[in-house]
Amino acid sequence: MTGSRKTVLRLVVAAMLAISSVAISVSSSSAAPSKAQVEAAKAKLDALNRQLDQMVEQYNQAQVRLQQTQAKLVDAKQAKDAADAITARATSELSKRAVAAYTGMGSQLDVLLGAASFTEFSDRLQFMGALAQDDADLAAQAQISSQKSQWAAQQYAQAVTERQATLNELANQKSQIQAGISDQEALYSQMSTSYKNALAAAAAAAAAAAASTSSGSSGSGGGSVFVPPQNASAAQVAIAAAESVIGTTYVFGSADPGVGFDCSGLVMWSYAQAGIALPHSSAMMSEMLPRLSESELLPGDLMFFYSPVSHVAIYLGGGSMIDASHPGPGGEVAIRSVYWQYFDWGGRIG
């Protein structure tokens, strides 16, 4: 029980430290939390909920054991009372017999001396000895029974005390975990709201950029307008559009060639050139399309990475893809080898 209690407390402390570190990173950054951060917060909440379930179950089991111990204590007390009664009766009877033996010593001698033969004398002496031994055995048994009952009552009383101490500790740990869950729920709600707001803002900006592009105006950065190839499929148009912006900087929340792209922004903008609207979210894209295995992929299919899904690229065939990879040097729109070790599944448009 002590080892289990220490393990639970370590889990609570670790969860609290994780909550604090995530909260600090959120408050110190102006960027919205990523979907991976939101999912991580939710996973920690689920873990705390499971831990609470285990604690409640342990609490209930301890209560059952306490009830059983109390019932045994009642039985032990009854056994003790019965043994005490036997001891009292035996002691009283033995006292009476001792008095009778002392005062009736002459009559007992008469009984012995009145024997007609040595054999009869021996039989009478043995019978009187047996009576005395019976009295001694009865007293010993009563004393032993009383001692056993007292010992059992002490053991059960100690067990009840230990069970109560366990219940107190479990209740304290339960309160700590509930406090951690409350904090984690608040953190998850905050991160989820911030993430949804960021997605909504990015989608609105992308819609405005797409409207501007479709009207024939240039991007906000002064880039040229993409002209789709003639008689091409949607997949071919999307690939051509993505290739036309190779080298564009990675910008979080953007789907504008004049500003930059993040991974889902590039895919959304590329397929918008083929007249297909997609959400500005890799996870949302992955949820709206039938899943494809690696062997089923064709050029133009979308590729989803990591668990939970947090990255998307356009498959080019031959083990290559095009994507906006990450902020900073080397993360701009480019053709890259597929990192299959992180590949989840594919999705096909149309």
Side-chain angles (χ1 to χ4, degrees):
M1 183 61 70
T2 300
S4 176
R5 180 168 63 254
K6 290 182 178 178
T7 299
V8 172
L9 290 176
R10 285 198 298 269
L11 289 174
V12 173
V13 171
M16 294 302 184
L17 291 176
I19 291 170
S20 300
S21 63
V22 175
I24 291 172
S25 65
V26 171
S27 62
S28 62
S29 173
S30 59
S34 66
K35 181 176 177 63
Q37 287 177 307
V38 175
E39 291 294 339
K42 184 176 183 297
K44 291 173 185 175
L45 174 62
D46 291 341
L48 283 171
N49 281 329
R50 289 193 297 271
Q51 189 62 47
L52 177 62
D53 288 341
Q54 294 173 0
M55 292 296 296
V56 170
E57 179 61 21
Q58 292 175 6
Y59 183 90
N60 291 337
Q61 290 176 354
Q63 284 184 316
V64 172
R65 291 195 301 270
L66 177 62
Q67 293 172 355
Q68 293 173 342
T69 301
Q70 290 172 335
K72 291 179 181 179
L73 181 59
V74 171
D75 293 341
K77 186 176 183 305
Q78 291 176 346
K80 179 180 181 301
D81 291 344
D84 288 344
I86 292 174
T87 302
R89 288 195 300 269
T91 301
S92 176
E93 183 64 24
L94 288 172
S95 297
K96 292 178 181 178
R97 291 188 182 184
V99 172
Y102 177 78
T103 57
M105 182 64 68
S107 61
Q108 292 180 11
L109 288 175
D110 291 341
V111 170
L112 291 175
L113 296 177
S117 65
F118 178 78
T119 300
E120 184 179 357
F121 176 85
S122 178
D123 290 342
R124 291 184 180 184
L125 182 61
Q126 183 177 0
F127 175 75
M128 294 177 67
L131 291 178
Q133 185 61 49
D134 287 344
D135 291 342
D137 291 343
L138 177 61
Q141 290 175 358
Q143 183 178 7
I144 292 173
S145 176
S146 178
Q147 291 174 346
K148 287 183 177 180
S149 180
Q150 291 175 0
W151 176 84
Q154 292 173 355
Q155 293 298 310
Y156 288 131
Q158 180 179 354
V160 169
T161 300
E162 292 175 355
R163 292 293 186 272
Q164 188 60 54
T166 299
L167 289 177
N168 294 339
E169 292 172 0
L170 288 173
N172 180 58
Q173 293 167 3
K174 179 180 175 182
S175 297
Q176 291 179 340
I177 290 182
Q178 285 177 324
I181 287 177
S182 178
D183 292 343
Q184 187 68 0
E185 285 177 339
L187 170 63
Y188 174 67
S189 177
Q190 174 188 350
M191 295 183 71
S192 181
T193 300
S194 179
Y195 180 71
K196 290 177 181 177
N197 290 341
L199 286 182
S212 176
T213 299
S214 63
S215 66
S217 63
S218 63
S220 60
S224 61
V225 177
F226 171 75
V227 178
Q230 297 294 319
N231 301 319
S233 66
Q236 291 170 333
V237 171
I239 291 174
E243 291 177 340
S244 74
V245 292
I246 287 177
T248 302
T249 303
Y250 184 104
V251 176
F252 174 82
S254 178
D256 185 347
V259 177
F261 295 102
D262 59 14
C263 66
S264 56
L266 173 65
V267 174
M268 184 183 76
W269 178 83
S270 298
Y271 266 96
Q273 308 315 302
I276 296 176
L278 294 173
H280 193 168
S281 165
S282 58
M284 292 179 183
M285 290 180 187
S286 73
E287 293 169 357
M288 64 183 291
L289 301 175
R291 297 188 178 188
L292 303 175
S293 65
E294 176 183 340
S295 62
E296 295 174 311
L297 291 174
L298 296 175
D301 288 342
L302 305 190
M303 304 183 72
F304 302 104
F305 300 89
Y306 307 116
S307 180
V309 171
S310 56
H311 187 71
V312 62
I314 299 175
Y315 186 57
L316 300 179
S320 296
M321 66 182 187
I322 185 169
D323 70 344
S325 182
H326 58 79
E332 64 274 3
V333 177
I335 295 176
R336 298 179 173 84
S337 296
V338 176
Y339 25 92
W340 294 109
Q341 67 271 32
Y342 301 118
F343 174 72
D344 287 327
W345 60 81
R348 183 166 299 153
I349 307 296

Short mmCIF file of all heavy atoms in Angstrom, two decimals, residues 242-264:
data_model
loop_
_atom_site.label_atom_id
_atom_site.label_comp_id
_atom_site.label_asym_id
_atom_site.label_seq_id
_atom_site.Cartn_x
_atom_site.Cartn_y
_atom_site.Cartn_z
N ALA A 242 1.13 24.19 -56.47
CA ALA A 242 2.10 24.07 -55.38
C ALA A 242 3.53 24.27 -55.90
O ALA A 242 4.35 24.93 -55.26
CB ALA A 242 1.96 22.71 -54.71
N GLU A 243 3.82 23.72 -57.08
CA GLU A 243 5.16 23.87 -57.64
C GLU A 243 5.45 25.31 -58.05
O GLU A 243 6.61 25.74 -58.05
CB GLU A 243 5.34 22.93 -58.83
CG GLU A 243 5.38 21.46 -58.42
CD GLU A 243 5.49 20.52 -59.62
OE1 GLU A 243 5.14 20.96 -60.74
OE2 GLU A 243 5.91 19.36 -59.43
N SER A 244 4.39 26.07 -58.34
CA SER A 244 4.59 27.45 -58.77
C SER A 244 5.02 28.36 -57.62
O SER A 244 5.49 29.47 -57.85
CB SER A 244 3.29 28.00 -59.40
OG SER A 244 2.30 28.26 -58.40
N VAL A 245 4.84 27.91 -56.40
CA VAL A 245 5.20 28.74 -55.24
C VAL A 245 6.35 28.13 -54.46
O VAL A 245 6.54 28.44 -53.27
CB VAL A 245 3.98 28.97 -54.32
CG1 VAL A 245 2.94 29.84 -55.01
CG2 VAL A 245 3.36 27.63 -53.88
N ILE A 246 7.12 27.24 -55.09
CA ILE A 246 8.29 26.68 -54.42
C ILE A 246 9.21 27.80 -53.97
O ILE A 246 9.49 28.74 -54.71
CB ILE A 246 9.04 25.71 -55.36
CG1 ILE A 246 8.24 24.40 -55.52
CG2 ILE A 246 10.44 25.39 -54.83
CD1 ILE A 246 8.85 23.41 -56.49
N GLY A 247 9.68 27.70 -52.74
CA GLY A 247 10.55 28.72 -52.16
C GLY A 247 9.81 29.73 -51.30
O GLY A 247 10.46 30.54 -50.62
N THR A 248 8.47 29.71 -51.33
CA THR A 248 7.70 30.64 -50.52
C THR A 248 7.91 30.32 -49.03
O THR A 248 7.92 29.16 -48.61
CB THR A 248 6.20 30.55 -50.85
OG1 THR A 248 6.03 30.83 -52.25
CG2 THR A 248 5.39 31.54 -50.04
N THR A 249 8.05 31.35 -48.23
CA THR A 249 8.35 31.19 -46.80
C THR A 249 7.20 30.52 -46.05
O THR A 249 6.03 30.74 -46.36
CB THR A 249 8.61 32.57 -46.17
OG1 THR A 249 9.68 33.20 -46.88
CG2 THR A 249 8.98 32.45 -44.70
N TYR A 250 7.57 29.73 -45.05
CA TYR A 250 6.57 29.15 -44.15
C TYR A 250 6.08 30.24 -43.20
O TYR A 250 6.86 30.87 -42.50
CB TYR A 250 7.18 28.01 -43.34
CG TYR A 250 6.18 27.29 -42.44
CD1 TYR A 250 5.68 26.04 -42.78
CD2 TYR A 250 5.75 27.86 -41.24
CE1 TYR A 250 4.78 25.38 -41.97
CE2 TYR A 250 4.85 27.20 -40.42
CZ TYR A 250 4.36 25.97 -40.79
OH TYR A 250 3.46 25.33 -39.97
N VAL A 251 4.75 30.45 -43.18
CA VAL A 251 4.14 31.41 -42.27
C VAL A 251 2.93 30.74 -41.62
O VAL A 251 2.01 30.30 -42.32
CB VAL A 251 3.70 32.70 -43.00
CG1 VAL A 251 2.98 33.64 -42.03
CG2 VAL A 251 4.91 33.40 -43.61
N PHE A 252 2.95 30.69 -40.34
CA PHE A 252 1.85 30.05 -39.62
C PHE A 252 0.52 30.74 -39.92
O PHE A 252 0.42 31.97 -39.87
CB PHE A 252 2.12 30.08 -38.11
CG PHE A 252 0.97 29.57 -37.29
CD1 PHE A 252 0.78 28.21 -37.11
CD2 PHE A 252 0.06 30.45 -36.72
CE1 PHE A 252 -0.28 27.74 -36.37
CE2 PHE A 252 -1.01 29.98 -35.98
CZ PHE A 252 -1.18 28.61 -35.81
N GLY A 253 -0.52 29.94 -40.20
CA GLY A 253 -1.86 30.46 -40.39
C GLY A 253 -2.09 31.13 -41.72
O GLY A 253 -3.17 31.70 -41.93
N SER A 254 -1.14 31.06 -42.64
CA SER A 254 -1.28 31.78 -43.91
C SER A 254 -1.50 30.81 -45.07
O SER A 254 -0.95 29.70 -45.10
CB SER A 254 -0.04 32.63 -44.19
OG SER A 254 -0.17 33.28 -45.44
N ALA A 255 -2.31 31.24 -46.03
CA ALA A 255 -2.55 30.49 -47.27
C ALA A 255 -2.49 31.47 -48.44
O ALA A 255 -3.29 31.40 -49.37
CB ALA A 255 -3.88 29.78 -47.21
N ASP A 256 -1.55 32.37 -48.39
CA ASP A 256 -1.42 33.45 -49.39
C ASP A 256 -0.02 33.41 -49.98
O ASP A 256 0.97 33.55 -49.24
CB ASP A 256 -1.68 34.79 -48.71
CG ASP A 256 -1.68 35.96 -49.69
OD1 ASP A 256 -1.24 35.77 -50.84
OD2 ASP A 256 -2.11 37.04 -49.27
N PRO A 257 0.12 33.19 -51.29
CA PRO A 257 1.47 33.13 -51.90
C PRO A 257 2.24 34.42 -51.73
O PRO A 257 3.48 34.41 -51.78
CB PRO A 257 1.19 32.82 -53.36
CG PRO A 257 -0.22 33.27 -53.59
CD PRO A 257 -0.94 33.01 -52.31
N GLY A 258 1.56 35.54 -51.51
CA GLY A 258 2.25 36.81 -51.32
C GLY A 258 2.73 37.00 -49.89
O GLY A 258 3.52 37.91 -49.62
N VAL A 259 2.27 36.14 -48.98
CA VAL A 259 2.66 36.23 -47.57
C VAL A 259 3.46 35.01 -47.15
O VAL A 259 4.54 35.10 -46.57
CB VAL A 259 1.42 36.38 -46.66
CG1 VAL A 259 1.82 36.40 -45.20
CG2 VAL A 259 0.65 37.63 -47.03
N GLY A 260 2.94 33.85 -47.45
CA GLY A 260 3.58 32.61 -47.07
C GLY A 260 2.54 31.53 -46.85
O GLY A 260 1.32 31.76 -46.98
N PHE A 261 3.00 30.32 -46.55
CA PHE A 261 2.10 29.19 -46.33
C PHE A 261 2.55 28.41 -45.09
O PHE A 261 3.74 28.31 -44.80
CB PHE A 261 2.14 28.22 -47.52
CG PHE A 261 1.62 28.78 -48.81
CD1 PHE A 261 2.51 29.20 -49.80
CD2 PHE A 261 0.27 28.86 -49.05
CE1 PHE A 261 2.05 29.70 -51.00
CE2 PHE A 261 -0.21 29.36 -50.25
CZ PHE A 261 0.69 29.79 -51.23
N ASP A 262 1.54 27.84 -44.41
CA ASP A 262 1.85 26.72 -43.55
C ASP A 262 1.44 25.47 -44.33
O ASP A 262 1.00 25.57 -45.47
CB ASP A 262 1.17 26.83 -42.18
CG ASP A 262 -0.35 26.90 -42.27
OD1 ASP A 262 -0.90 26.60 -43.35
OD2 ASP A 262 -0.98 27.25 -41.25
N CYS A 263 1.57 24.28 -43.73
CA CYS A 263 1.37 23.05 -44.52
C CYS A 263 -0.04 22.93 -45.08
O CYS A 263 -0.23 22.70 -46.28
CB CYS A 263 1.73 21.82 -43.69
SG CYS A 263 0.65 21.50 -42.27
N SER A 264 -1.05 23.13 -44.22
CA SER A 264 -2.42 23.00 -44.70
C SER A 264 -2.83 24.19 -45.56
O SER A 264 -3.68 24.07 -46.44
CB SER A 264 -3.38 22.84 -43.52
OG SER A 264 -3.26 23.92 -42.62
#
